[in-house]
Amino acid sequence: MKKFDGRSFVAGIVVGTLGITTAFGATSIRSASLSSRQITLKGVSLSPEKPLVEVTMDDEQASVLYVPAEEVFEKLGYGIHYDSTGNIIDLIPGSSDSHEVLGDIVSQGNVVMDLANHAGQTNIAESGSFQAEQGQTLVLTITSDIKGGSVDLFLFDPNGRQQRVTIGAANVSKEIPLEQGIWQYNCSGVFKDGGNVKIVGTVK
C-alpha cells in the first residue's frame, strides 16, 4: 500500500465525487494509506472506481476506512442530492438506474419510490423524498388487493402543493408531471380485512 503523511494534507480527504471534501485539521491525522480492502454486498463486489482510504487520527490507535460515498450509496440503490445552500447531502432511497420487476410489470428508469406493507400486516406507513428535473414524469405503478380500508399517497411538490392518490383494491398506473426540485411523499392507510399493496414510482 502506498503510504503518505497526513500532516501534509492541505484540503483533506475526498470521500465523494460531488466536490465535497471532509477536511481534517492538518495536525489531527497521523497517517493515511490507500486501502486494498474490498466492499461486497451479499458476496458481490461493489468495485468502486475511486480508492478506499484508511486514516489514523493522532489520538486513536485503530484506523478508520473512508469510502467514495456517492459511488457506494448509488450502488446500494440510493440517489444523492447535494444542497449547496444548506451544505446538506440528501440520500434518496430507492433511486437507481436499474429496473425492477413487479410480477409481469417491468419499470425502467429511476425508481424513486418502492413502498409496500410488511408481510402479514394490514397497514402501511412510509415517507420519503426524491429529486426531479423539469419536464420529467413520475409513473406510479400500483398493485393492490387490499380489503376493508384504503391507502392514501400524498405527494408534495417543491412548493409544498399537495396531490392525493387514494388506493383501493385495484391495480392502477398513473402519470404525474414533475417540476424541478425536491418532492416529498407520505403513504399511510389501514385495510383491516387483509390484502397487500405495493407502490413503485419511476421517474422518466
Side-chain angles (χ1 to χ4, degrees), residues 15-18 67-75 78 80:
V15 296
T17 57
L18 293 169
V67 301
E70 185 178 25
E71 282 189 71
V72 172
F73 278 121
E74 284 182 348
K75 288 177 188 259
Y78 287 82
I80 297 180

Side-chain angles (χ1 to χ4, degrees), residues 75-124:
K75 288 177 188 259
L76 291 174
Y78 287 82
I80 297 180
H81 173 67
Y82 176 52
D83 177 5
S84 58
T85 303
N87 199 26
I88 297 171
I89 302 174
D90 184 24
L91 300 179
I92 305 169
S95 178
S96 71
D97 292 325
S98 61
H99 67 272
E100 180 165 343
V101 179
L102 303 171
D104 59 347
I105 302 171
V106 179
S107 299
Q108 295 188 358
N110 293 327
V111 178
V112 297
M113 189 185 305
D114 188 359
L115 314 175
N117 61 300
H118 295 289
Q121 291 189 348
T122 57
N123 68 289
I124 184 171

Side-chain angles (χ1 to χ4, degrees), residues 1-6 31-34 56:
M1 285 189 298
K2 180 182 177 183
K3 295 198 175 235
F4 51 94
D5 186 357
S31 66
S33 61
L34 300 179
T56 304

Side-chain angles (χ1 to χ4, degrees), residues 29-155:
I29 297 176
R30 183 166 73 238
S31 66
S33 61
L34 300 179
S35 176
S36 60
R37 291 189 193 183
Q38 298 291 316
I39 302 177
T40 64
L41 176 64
K42 297 181 179 178
V44 178
S45 177
L46 295 182
S47 302
E49 293 181 6
K50 294 190 177 294
L52 279 60
V53 178
E54 292 190 47
V55 175
T56 304
M57 309 300 284
D58 275 340
D59 57 350
E60 296 178 358
Q61 295 297 319
S63 63
V64 177
L65 185 67
Y66 286 83
V67 301
E70 185 178 25
E71 282 189 71
V72 172
F73 278 121
E74 284 182 348
K75 288 177 188 259
L76 291 174
Y78 287 82
I80 297 180
H81 173 67
Y82 176 52
D83 177 5
S84 58
T85 303
N87 199 26
I88 297 171
I89 302 174
D90 184 24
L91 300 179
I92 305 169
S95 178
S96 71
D97 292 325
S98 61
H99 67 272
E100 180 165 343
V101 179
L102 303 171
D104 59 347
I105 302 171
V106 179
S107 299
Q108 295 188 358
N110 293 327
V111 178
V112 297
M113 189 185 305
D114 188 359
L115 314 175
N117 61 300
H118 295 289
Q121 291 189 348
T122 57
N123 68 289
I124 184 171
E126 301 285 348
S127 62
S129 64
F130 61 90
Q131 170 74 25
E133 301 300 330
Q134 194 68 33
Q136 290 185 317
T137 300
L138 175 67
V139 179
L140 293 175
T141 303
I142 301 167
T143 54
S144 173
D145 61 358
I146 61 175
K147 301 176 181 66
S150 63
V151 170
D152 288 316
L153 174 65
F154 294 95
L155 290 170

